[in-house]
Amino acid sequence: MNLVYSGKTKDVFALEDGNYLLKFKDDCTGADGVFDPGMNTVGLKIDGAGRAGLRLTQYFFEILNEKGIKTHYVSADIENATMTVKPAKTFGKGLEVICRFRAVGSFYRRYGDYCEEGMPLPAFVETTFKDDAREDPPVTKDALVALGVMSEDDYENLKVATQEIATVIKDELAKKGIELYDIKFEFGKVGDEVYLIDEISGGNMRAFKDGKHIMPLDLCRMVLDE
């Protein structure tokens, strides 16, 4: 097992069978000790966040797999905070895809002259490059195609998948009285098909209950009825 990448919230190891192993960390994105899923820096460490993130990821990936939605998920080992996944080729050096149901975070900071904070959005999809040095710049469909990052067909498939998956997550959370404001995904290609990769956890979404933001560990407990 060889370490091939060390990220902000996970380490990635190559396995002998061709699959990969993701090791979840307790590090969370944010700034000055305040959690923020929209930040691209590690801002704090929360004990147990790695296992909690993996448990939610396993929960949601298994729901998606049952619905026939393609993901890279193979299996999870909660005790060791690891997940085995299929190999997938990322788009460019990494692309984040955000689905927004409310105008919050960077969306509101950019477009505040044209909307009120918290205004409902119709599963609005936008993409950003994973680029810490440039603070994850937004990138349009036309730019992605012009730069050779993906084809028009790949983009349309990715957009449809994003809205479908985000709606599944939103509906699952609603069963617990939780509202999903926005969520961030990553996708890659397995062969010629677009697959959901990475994770689905409290660390990459904004979820609220009774108007209050839910922290990652609390979200795990609420969703899994602990």
Side-chain angles (χ1 to χ4, degrees):
M1 186 169 71
N2 297 316
L3 177 67
V4 295
Y5 177 75
S6 183
K8 291 185 284 291
T9 60
K10 288 183 293 296
D11 289 333
V12 182
F13 298 86
L15 300 176
E16 292 183 359
D17 63 2
N19 287 332
Y20 287 85
L21 189 77
L22 308 185
K23 174 70 174 179
F24 285 64
K25 304 177 183 179
D26 287 340
D27 295 330
C28 299
T29 57
D32 301 323
V34 178
F35 170 72
D36 184 345
M39 295 292 290
N40 62 356
T41 57
V42 172
L44 68 162
K45 182 185 290 286
I46 302 175
D47 289 341
R51 284 191 179 88
L54 175 56
R55 294 180 67 202
L56 270 185
T57 296
Q58 178 187 32
Y59 175 79
F60 285 125
F61 269 134
E62 289 181 351
I63 288 174
L64 295 174
N65 286 349
E66 288 176 3
K67 293 180 178 294
I69 296 171
K70 294 179 174 62
T71 78
H72 72 161
Y73 173 80
V74 175
S75 63
D77 180 345
I78 303 300
E79 180 65 26
N80 291 305
T82 61
M83 181 169 73
T84 301
V85 300
K86 301 171 186 175
K89 183 178 180 181
T90 60
F91 291 102
K93 296 180 180 179
L95 191 71
E96 293 180 336
V97 187
I98 302 99
C99 189
R100 300 186 184 276
F101 296 100
R102 293 268 183 185
V104 293
S106 62
F107 183 94
Y108 177 69
R109 289 194 294 271
R110 278 181 274 139
Y111 307 125
D113 281 349
Y114 301 91
C115 64
E116 295 182 359
E117 188 170 16
M119 182 185 79
L121 296 172
F124 178 87
V125 175
E126 60 183 347
T127 52
T128 66
F129 280 129
K130 293 187 70 174
D131 187 338
D132 290 347
R134 295 177 175 83
E135 299 183 348
D136 295 350
V139 56
T140 65
K141 169 188 172 181
D142 287 351
L144 289 168
V145 174
L147 294 170
V149 175
M150 65 175 60
S151 68
E152 290 191 27
D153 285 345
D154 281 341
Y155 180 87
E156 293 304 327
N157 290 335
L158 180 149
K159 180 179 178 180
V160 169
T162 296
Q163 292 174 323
E164 180 182 11
I165 295 166
T167 299
V168 170
I169 305 304
K170 184 175 185 288
D171 291 345
E172 287 296 319
L173 293 178
K175 295 176 183 178
K176 310 290 183 178
I178 299 168
E179 183 179 356
L180 179 64
Y181 276 28
D182 59 28
I183 187 165
K184 178 171 58 181
F185 298 125
E186 292 186 37
F187 290 87
K189 295 194 77 173
V190 177
D192 293 327
E193 296 186 284
V194 175
Y195 275 58
L196 178 68
I197 63 172
D198 197 46
E199 66 177 285
I200 304 175
S201 71
N204 62 348
M205 68 176 79
R206 288 187 181 90
F208 286 71
K209 186 176 179 67
D210 299 327
K212 296 181 180 179
H213 179 248
I214 305 170
M215 293 293 288
L217 286 178
D218 294 329
L219 183 65
C220 180
R221 297 187 191 102
M222 294 168 70
V223 172
L224 301 181
D225 294 322
E226 296 179 344

